[in-house]
């Protein structure tokens, strides 16, 4: 009884310290040989891509070239064992605000979306969807999503399943001043999906600047956020990559950072890559501005103690321990 009582006290002490349930804490306290109930780690090989920057959706040939490049990288990813490939914002085309401006190019005004070669875009997306089915590869694509006229389109991420089906779509919610003023309709909801037991969230554009987007996905129990961007302004602003690392560290999940490859190369921190839950880069594409993929095996991080503890800390844990009316606490002008 004494040995059993000591074991239970150790389990309760761990649960109180980490915020885990009694059952979860028990699995860690049990000797390794007896711990047959340890949860199996779920893993997935993820490929992150950087693709050639293209900003003129009036050019049908450029749209087709973007599609061909995307599908080439998909084949490379599958040959390397990837289960999912993640592409940047505007993979097919990232429409230039001056090209699209109905009063441009010198002045920026409302976008004239009739200039977009929508039929060609649809052909390329269909070809990509079919290849995803052929390869058995989940594919996340940055693209413009048209709405019913006269509404502006969404700036979106299409999630294509390994069966070639459009599983879901994420629409950028927190837009830049130019995007909301002249170009797009904002989205309204977070989007998650699951592949092989790994839960993903989606983010897009300049949303890396908004920690609430990423903390929301933590509450939705994602294991990885797929963040796609054109690279900020100026091109490939390094702060985006630094923020991605910070979101991964503060939320204890993986972040895939996919950015367009701008001509002339760019600083290393702004190339596409995958950030581990601790905030370090697990993989990065070359920093020379060329189309490429990089891969990492990500997991559901089952042994992580920080996420349950932080949730407990945010749920009123400290209130019973605060003191009121103690002059040594209230006064801030004494040692």
């Amino acid at each position: 009884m004494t040995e059993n009582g000591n074991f239970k006290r150790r389990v309760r002490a761990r649960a109180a310290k980490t915020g885990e349930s009694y059952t979860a804490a028990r699995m860690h306290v049990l000797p390794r040989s007896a711990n047959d109930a340890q949860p199996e780690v779920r893993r997935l090989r993820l490929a992150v891509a950087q693709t050639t920057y293209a900003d003129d959706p009036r050019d049908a040939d450029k749209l087709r070239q973007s599609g061909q490049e995307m599908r080439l990288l998909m084949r490379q990813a599958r040959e390397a064992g990837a289960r999912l490939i993640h592409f940047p914002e505007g993979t097919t085309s990232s429409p230039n605000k001056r090209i699209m401006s109905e009063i441009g190019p010198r002045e920026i005004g409302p976008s004239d979306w009739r200039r977009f070669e929508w039929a060609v875009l649809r052909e390329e997306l269909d070809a990509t969807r079919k290849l995803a089915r052929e390869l058995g590869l989940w594919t996340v694509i940055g693209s413009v999503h048209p709405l019913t006229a006269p509404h502006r389109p969404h700036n979106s991420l299409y999630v294509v399943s390994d069966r070639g089906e459009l599983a879901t779509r994420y629409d950028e919610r927190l837009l830049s001043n130019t995007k909301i003023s002249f170009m797009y309709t904002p989205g309204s909801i977070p989007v998650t999906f699951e592949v092989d037991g790994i839960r993903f969230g989606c983010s897009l554009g300049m949303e890396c600047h908004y920690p609430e987007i990423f903390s929301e996905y933590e509450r939705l129990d994602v294991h990885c956020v797929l963040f796609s961007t054109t690279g900020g302004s100026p091109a490939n602003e390094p702060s985006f990559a630094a923020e991605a690392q910070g979101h991964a560290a503060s939320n204890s999940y993986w972040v895939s950072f996919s950015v367009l490859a701008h001509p002339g190369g760019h600083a290393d921190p702004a190339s596409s890559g995958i950030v581990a839950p601790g905030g370090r880069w697990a993989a990065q594409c070359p920093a020379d501005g060329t189309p490429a993929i990089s891969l990492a095996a990500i997991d559901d991080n089952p042994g992580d103690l920080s996420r349950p503890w932080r949730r407990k800390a945010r749920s009123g844990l400290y209130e019973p321990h605060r003191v009121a009316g103690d002059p040594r606490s209230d006064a801030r002008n004494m040692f």
Side-chain angles (χ1 to χ4, degrees):
M1 290 294 291
T2 302
E3 182 178 349
N4 189 46
N6 287 336
F7 174 76
K8 289 182 177 180
R9 279 193 291 273
R10 288 167 58 203
V11 174
R12 292 192 187 100
R14 179 185 173 89
K17 181 179 180 180
T18 64
E20 297 170 325
S21 66
Y22 183 91
T23 302
R26 183 178 181 275
M27 288 192 297
H28 289 280
V29 174
L30 277 171
R32 186 176 297 275
S33 59
N35 194 359
D36 297 330
Q38 277 281 14
E40 182 180 351
V41 178
R42 291 169 290 187
R43 291 187 175 89
L44 178 146
R45 193 155 173 79
L46 170 66
V48 61
Q50 59 189 28
T51 56
T52 302
Y53 175 70
D55 66 355
D56 190 350
R58 305 169 302 177
D59 190 327
D61 289 339
K62 288 289 180 64
L63 283 170
R64 292 190 177 96
Q65 289 171 17
S66 294
Q68 291 165 4
E69 179 181 279
M70 178 168 53
R71 292 187 290 275
L72 174 64
L73 294 176
M74 288 171 65
R75 292 186 184 278
Q76 292 177 6
R78 195 67 187 103
E79 289 172 4
R83 187 76 173 94
L84 183 152
I85 185 168
H86 169 214
F87 285 101
E89 174 185 10
T91 313
T92 48
S93 179
S94 180
N96 186 289
K97 58 190 177 184
R98 296 187 183 277
I99 290 174
M100 301 306 292
S101 172
E102 63 183 20
I103 59 173
R106 291 187 176 181
E107 294 185 59
I108 301 171
S111 294
D112 181 359
W113 289 103
R114 294 171 299 178
R115 300 175 181 179
F116 202 118
E117 287 285 352
W118 294 110
V120 177
L121 173 65
R122 182 58 186 268
E123 290 172 7
E124 294 306 312
L125 291 174
D126 280 341
T128 302
R129 177 182 58 78
K130 291 174 182 176
L131 181 61
R133 180 180 61 200
E134 177 186 327
L135 298 176
L137 179 68
W138 284 76
T139 304
V140 180
I141 310 162
S143 185
V144 179
H145 178 74
L147 302 186
T148 306
H151 300 126
R152 296 172 180 171
H154 289 310
N155 185 36
S156 303
L157 285 177
Y158 288 128
V159 179
V160 179
S161 77
D162 57 354
R163 294 184 293 181
E165 299 170 348
L166 184 56
T168 188
R169 187 191 76 247
Y170 177 74
D171 307 317
E172 185 181 5
R173 291 178 282 169
L174 298 177
L175 306 170
S176 69
N177 180 56
T178 297
K179 284 180 176 178
I180 193 62
S181 299
F182 303 117
M183 300 187 75
Y184 297 109
T185 296
S188 58
I189 60 171
V191 167
T192 64
F193 65 98
E194 192 168 303
V195 182
D196 300 344
I198 303 295
R199 182 181 292 272
F200 292 90
C202 299
S203 182
L204 185 60
M206 63 174 294
E207 290 179 340
C208 213
H209 289 326
Y210 299 97
E212 59 267 33
I213 292 284
F214 291 81
S215 60
E216 179 180 39
Y217 279 124
E218 192 282 327
R219 292 192 297 272
L220 292 172
D221 286 321
V222 305
H223 304 115
C224 178
V225 171
L226 306 175
F227 173 67
S228 297
T229 183
T230 60
S233 182
N236 292 4
E237 170 60 50
S239 68
F240 275 49
E243 287 171 330
Q245 290 181 273
H247 295 315
S250 61
N251 292 292
S252 294
Y253 53 43
W254 299 82
V255 173
S256 182
F257 177 82
S258 185
V259 61
L260 291 172
H262 288 258
H266 47 260
D268 179 68
S271 59
S272 291
I274 299 168
V275 188
R280 64 175 177 82
W281 289 103
Q284 275 192 284
C285 289
D288 57 4
T290 58
I293 59 169
S294 188
L295 299 101
I298 69 172
D299 57 36
D300 59 352
N301 202 15
D304 177 60
L305 304 180
S306 58
R307 288 182 75 170
W309 171 253
R310 290 169 188 172
R311 288 183 178 184
K312 184 175 182 180
R314 294 180 179 120
S315 65
L317 169 68
Y318 304 105
E319 291 306 318
H321 301 279
R322 303 193 194 281
V323 296
D326 185 332
R328 294 290 305 169
S329 176
D330 296 341
R332 302 187 184 277
N333 59 349
M334 64 176 74
F335 291 110

